[in-house]
Structure formats: C-alpha cells, structure tokens
Amino acid sequence: MGARSMVPAAVTLFLFLSFVGLCNGGITGNYVRQVGPTADMPKEAFPPPPGFNTPEQVHITQGDHGGRGVIVSWVTPAMRHPNVVTYWAEGAKLKDKQKAHSKIYSYRYFTYSSGYIHHATIEALEYDTKYFYELGRGNGTRRFSFTTPPKVGPDVPYTFGIMGDLGQTSASIQTLEHYMANPKGQTVLFAGDLSYADDHPYHDNERWDTWGRFVEKSAAYQPWIWTAGNHELDFAPELEEYTPFKPYLNRYHVPYRASQSTSPLWYSIKRASAHIIVLSSYSAYGKYTPQYTWLKQELPKVNRAETPWLIVLVHSPWYNSYNYHYMEGETMRVMFESWFVQSKVDIVFAGHVHAYERSERISNIKFNITNGQSAPVKDPSAPVYITIGDGGNIEGLATSYTEPQPSYSAYREASFGHAILEIKNRTHAHYTWHRNQDNTPVAADSLWLYNRYYYPVEEPSPWE
Ligand SMILES: *[C@@H]1O[C@H](CO)[C@@H](O)[C@H](O)[C@H]1NC(C)=O
Ligand SMILES: *[C@@H]1O[C@H](CO)[C@@H](O)[C@H](O)[C@H]1NC(C)=O
Ligand SMILES: *[C@@H]1O[C@H](CO)[C@@H](O)[C@H](O)[C@H]1NC(C)=O
Ligand SMILES: [Fe+2]
C-alpha cells in the first residue's frame, strides 16, 4: 500500500467530517494549526523611529459623525511640542497647507510614565479625497496620508477590514501583514483587545507603546474604529491602579460626542453606506444605565435610507460555541437582542474568543419565564453574529468547541485570520474570512450577505 491509496482515504475522511458538520447544521473547519500560546515579539522588534522627539505610534480614526473628520493621534517621547499636524489635499498648493493643534495627555501606571500623547481633530475635510499630513520637526519629521470616505449614501460601495484580539506576537504580525497585502480594505473595524500589555508583569505599559508602533503601518494610513475589550481594562488594585481603561482611554480617542454619547466606550459613526455602533461589554448596560439609555435613543436614529447597513461592534460575543468565554456575552444579549432584531441589525462583529465563528441568522428573544421557548430559532430579521477574535495574541487559539456543533453555528474554525466586508450597494455585501496560512485572495469562509432592511431574504449557504 503506497501513498496513492492515502489520497482517497484522506478525501473520505474530509467528506465524513464535513458531513458530520452538516448534520448538526454547521461546519467545523478542521484546519487547526498553531495551538499553544505564542510569546510576544521582543520589544526591539518595534523600535521607535529615528530622530529627535520623533512622533511615533501614529494612528487615525474617524473624527466626526459623518466621515469628514479625522482624529490624528501620536506620541512624542521627549518634548510636548510641536503639538501640531500639518495637512493638505493631494495636489494642493503650498499656501493651502492647514494646521490643527493637538490636546496633550500623559499618564502614569504603576512605575511607568507615558510620553506625550497627542490627539488632534481635523474637521470639514472634503469627501473621497486623499490627504497628506505631517508631524514633528527637523530630523524628527514624518509624513503620512489617508483618504476620506465618500459622502454618506445608500449605494456607496465601501470595504471594511475586520480584526480583533490582535496582540503583538509573530502571529499578530502575520494577521496584520495579511490584511495589508489585500488592497481592498479602506477602514478597520477593530473588535477589541489591542496590546495585551496586561499579560505582562505589572501590566508593562511599554507594551502599549510597542503595540502602537506595530500597527502604525496600517493605522496611520486608514482609520481604525476602536472597541474596548477586557484587555483594555487594566484594572489592577494590587498595583493601586483603580481606574478602569486608563491606558486605553489616554491613547485611543473616538468621536463619541458626535453621536450624543457620554462615554468613549460606546458611540456610533456613519461611514459611506454603513452606520456603525460600538458597544462596551465591560461597562454597565442594565436598564437605566448610560449605555442602555444611549443605545435605546441611538437605534431609532439610524436612517436606512442614508445608511442601509447597520453594523455593531462589541467585544464579548453573544453567540459562541467554543469552550472559551462560554456564555459571557449572555447578559448583554438578554438586554439588547430584541432591539437588534426590531432594528434589523445586519451584522454583529465580536472578538474575545481566539478563533473564528459565523452564525446563522437566528434570534432567541421569545423566552419568558412561563413558556420554555429558550432555544434560538431562525429569524430573517436577526443579524449574523461573527466572532473574529483570531488576531493572534499571546494567549493562543481557542481550540475546543461545544459538541455537537449547535444549529445556530454556521461555520467555526480555530485559525488566526481577518475578515473583509465589501459593501456593494444597499442590498448586497460580500463577506470573506481569510486565515493567515492562505494566500491573500483565498477565502476560507465567504458568502453574500443580503441587507436586512432592503432585501431580507435568506442568503444561500456557501456550504450547500
Ligand atoms: C537630530 O536633531 C537633534 C536636535 O535637533 C540633534 O541633537 C541630533 O543629533 C540630530 N540627529 C541626527 C541623526 O541628525
Ligand atoms: C409568555 O409567552 C407565551 C407564549 O409566547 C405568551 O402566551 C404569554 O403571554 C407570555 N407571558 C408573559 C408574561 O409575557
Ligand atoms: C447590487 O450589487 C449586486 C452585487 O454586485 C448586484 O448583483 C446587484 O445587481 C446590485 N443591485 C443594484 C440595484 O444595482
Ligand atoms: Fe477579550
């Protein structure tokens, strides 16, 4: 018996596994690579740029509600000044260069003292225009660029990349490089858990600096839309650090006031044809709390005639069939799921579980204390829930699942990767998930998503 007879055996095994998956309603990808935790890269892998007081850890995010604003953030290590960003549209004359000044923050954490953290908001930019911007002075000057989104509108095509739980290991580098190798992504939706500094002794905040340097190659050139995860809490009474989210809130600013939010931990933006709502799994969301009150007022404001696609980012998943963080999202689901179904949310992206999972369109909102209807059922008004916590951080992959695969779970696989959401028009968006081991164009999971407001019909499963 030679190698030839192995092939049919392998194929048979694959078909068998696929078949087992389908019987239970979904697919469990058997492509499991790296299992154990991976160490973070040495700090030297993310060196500061050369020059004196050179701006570093440069990142941008949307700076207003509709897409004409940008928040530019950076750190200067030695001096507070210059605290200015100079910017101009591509092709502009020298005299048309404009300036915005930053507000400067700094904080201490245990024995760590931060550099000068700058946040400058640029407003009233032209839509759909390439801008250059410059930071620093003398031999510490650096230049970057970004492109503003098209004006908000129902059929504006736009492409988002989605990552979560990134960290700073060799796998994290692979994920980011893999995302950047695909020229399609215009804005990153980040599902929380950024640096994993808190996995180091004393929450070594230099790991927040190395992470800022690591992601700069993407985050300085396209907006990253931030969501807070549990690794942003940095709540450490044993270090006398009592203020939750202290490093995160100093370093990552978002335009929360533009959506009448009272906290940077929950807010919304409109970008091209999408209305994006960011929620906080680690802030109060019970009835009467600020987050609850804000979301209740926010959902009726969504104008699908302007932004057909309603997308939610939250760190802890509501539907998760891994044996990791199982049911941690349950209390928030109980609070808000019926609102999402009523509002016809299209997609909910979460992180937290270090693996990939995509749900069917299901809801579990019928239950009351007397009727026993406590199982999820197919629901054409429900969002698709996607767990994309597979960025590749220091804690390794989540590799064990609840068995059998629940019927609500359409596809799950313990591999690192990222996703791409290509909105085409008000009815169609093409969604793909890319595992790190594959070449750029290869999608390990992909399907057409139909808009819940304009075209609420069932999507054909890619696996049937
Ligand atoms: C950069 O400028 C600073 C002061 O402006 C100077 O001390 C330093 O030597 C310069 N470095 C280089 C590489 O020219
Ligand atoms: C519970 O659900 C049942 C069936 O859907 C319904 O008839 C009943 O009125 C509900 N009870 C309450 C208290 O809402
Ligand atoms: C929307 O995009 C899809 C996919 O590209 C296309 O098949 C469909 O015809 C488009 N709809 C309209 C109204 O253009
Ligand atoms: Fe997490």
Side-chain angles (χ1 to χ4, degrees):
M1 303 293 280
R4 296 180 67 175
S5 61
M6 299 282 287
V7 175
V11 169
T12 311
L13 180 66
F14 174 75
L15 289 175
F16 173 73
L17 288 172
S18 305
F19 180 69
V20 169
L22 276 175
C23 276
N24 297 312
I27 297 283
T28 298
N30 55 352
Y31 191 101
V32 176
R33 283 290 174 99
Q34 195 158 4
V35 174
T38 328
D40 274 347
M41 296 296 289
K43 288 178 183 170
E44 299 73 50
F46 309 112
F52 175 71
N53 200 37
T54 309
E56 56 171 270
Q57 305 173 48
V58 181
H59 53 265
I60 61 172
T61 194
Q62 186 161 315
D64 68 349
H65 203 227
R68 292 181 66 193
V70 172
I71 300 174
V72 181
S73 305
W74 70 96
V75 174
T76 50
M79 290 169 53
R80 294 169 67 84
H81 295 99
N83 70 326
V84 66
V85 48
T86 306
Y87 62 96
W88 62 95
E90 187 174 40
K93 298 195 180 69
L94 215 63
K95 66 172 175 58
D96 293 330
K97 287 192 177 181
Q98 289 180 280
K99 289 182 192 303
H101 285 84
S102 65
K103 285 194 178 143
I104 307 171
Y105 296 72
S106 60
Y107 73 92
R108 300 174 71 84
Y109 192 96
F110 194 52
T111 57
Y112 170 92
S113 295
S114 76
Y116 302 103
I117 303 168
H118 300 256
H119 301 286
T121 302
I122 302 176
E123 279 168 333
L125 297 166
E126 296 299 322
Y127 286 115
D128 215 357
T129 303
K130 183 169 183 180
Y131 285 87
F132 293 94
Y133 66 102
E134 214 167 72
L135 302 169
R137 173 189 291 160
N139 61 16
T141 303
R142 300 181 71 199
R143 182 179 292 187
F144 306 89
S145 64
F146 59 79
T147 301
T148 51
K151 187 176 186 331
V152 164
D155 293 301
V156 180
Y158 202 74
T159 300
F160 294 97
I162 307 102
M163 286 181 273
D165 304 68
L166 188 55
Q168 43 192 309
T169 70
S170 55
S172 322
I173 294 176
Q174 275 183 350
T175 303
L176 184 57
E177 299 282 344
H178 198 198
Y179 167 64
M180 292 177 66
N182 184 338
K184 285 180 182 169
Q186 295 172 287
T187 290
V188 169
L189 305 179
F190 194 82
D193 282 0
L194 288 63
S195 75
Y196 288 75
D198 60 346
D199 275 346
H200 292 269
Y202 313 113
H203 294 225
D204 182 358
N205 270 230
E206 286 182 18
R207 283 292 176 186
W208 276 105
D209 292 314
T210 52
W211 196 80
R213 294 181 200 132
F214 160 48
V215 301
E216 183 190 83
K217 65 178 84 165
S218 170
Y221 297 91
Q222 58 176 252
W224 285 40
I225 307 305
W226 301 109
T227 310
N230 53 307
H231 287 276
E232 277 65 72
L233 276 160
D234 284 306
F235 174 66
E238 70 281 13
L239 305 178
E240 298 186 20
E241 289 296 346
Y242 302 110
T243 311
F245 303 108
K246 190 205 266 184
Y248 173 71
L249 292 178
N250 273 286
R251 290 166 184 273
Y252 294 91
H253 278 200
V254 299
Y256 65 98
R257 287 195 185 90
S259 55
Q260 287 76 51
S261 168
T262 51
S263 166
L265 298 170
W266 57 88
Y267 62 101
S268 76
I269 58 163
K270 299 184 291 186
R271 199 165 179 87
S273 40
H275 188 115
I276 294 155
I277 292 179
V278 174
L279 296 179
S280 173
S281 301
Y282 306 100
S283 307
Y285 44 77
K287 196 166 182 180
Y288 316 119
T289 61
Q291 184 169 209
Y292 176 100
T293 306
W294 177 80
L295 183 60
K296 193 167 199 261
Q297 290 169 356
E298 171 71 8
L299 286 168
K301 288 185 196 167
V302 178
N303 177 2
R304 303 300 269 270
E306 190 183 43
T307 50
W309 294 89
L310 179 51
I311 297 169
V312 174
L313 304 177
V314 64
H315 186 62
S316 190
W318 295 359
Y319 287 94
N320 159 35
S321 73
Y322 287 82
N323 290 326
Y324 296 75
H325 304 303
Y326 186 60
M327 287 182 81
E328 282 182 23
E330 190 66 2
T331 52
M332 192 189 241
R333 183 191 68 73
V334 169
M335 290 308 298
F336 294 148
E337 186 181 18
S338 60
W339 293 359
F340 281 17
V341 173
Q342 279 156 23
S343 308
K344 301 189 190 303
V345 170
D346 291 294
I347 315 167
V348 178
F349 289 109
H352 203 36
V353 177
H354 300 162
Y356 174 72
E357 185 162 29
R358 172 173 58 79
S359 80
E360 304 286 355
R361 291 196 185 275
I362 37 89
S363 73
N364 190 0
I365 55 176
K366 291 257 165 58
F367 178 70
N368 66 37
I369 203 72
T370 56
N371 68 14
Q373 294 176 28
S374 58
V377 293
K378 282 214 164 193
D379 187 337
S381 294
V384 167
Y385 294 89
I386 291 170
T387 302
I388 187 87
D390 56 348
N393 64 67
I394 190 171
E395 295 175 352
L397 280 169
T399 50
S400 78
Y401 326 91
T402 60
E403 299 283 7
Q405 184 166 11
S407 57
Y408 66 72
S409 173
Y411 187 94
R412 59 184 187 178
E413 180 177 318
S415 295
F416 294 133
H418 71 273
I420 297 278
L421 179 70
E422 284 179 72
I423 296 175
K424 303 288 189 187
N425 53 36
R426 74 186 68 191
T427 53
H428 285 65
H430 194 242
Y431 168 79
T432 50
W433 173 66
H434 302 264
R435 67 165 85 87
N436 284 356
Q437 288 81 6
D438 294 333
N439 290 328
T440 303
V442 176
D445 182 29
S446 74
L447 81 163
W448 283 98
L449 290 174
Y450 300 155
N451 187 273
R452 286 305 94 188
Y453 184 84
Y454 284 103
Y455 193 42
V457 307
E458 194 173 345
E459 291 98 346
S461 162
W463 304 104
E464 280 156 17

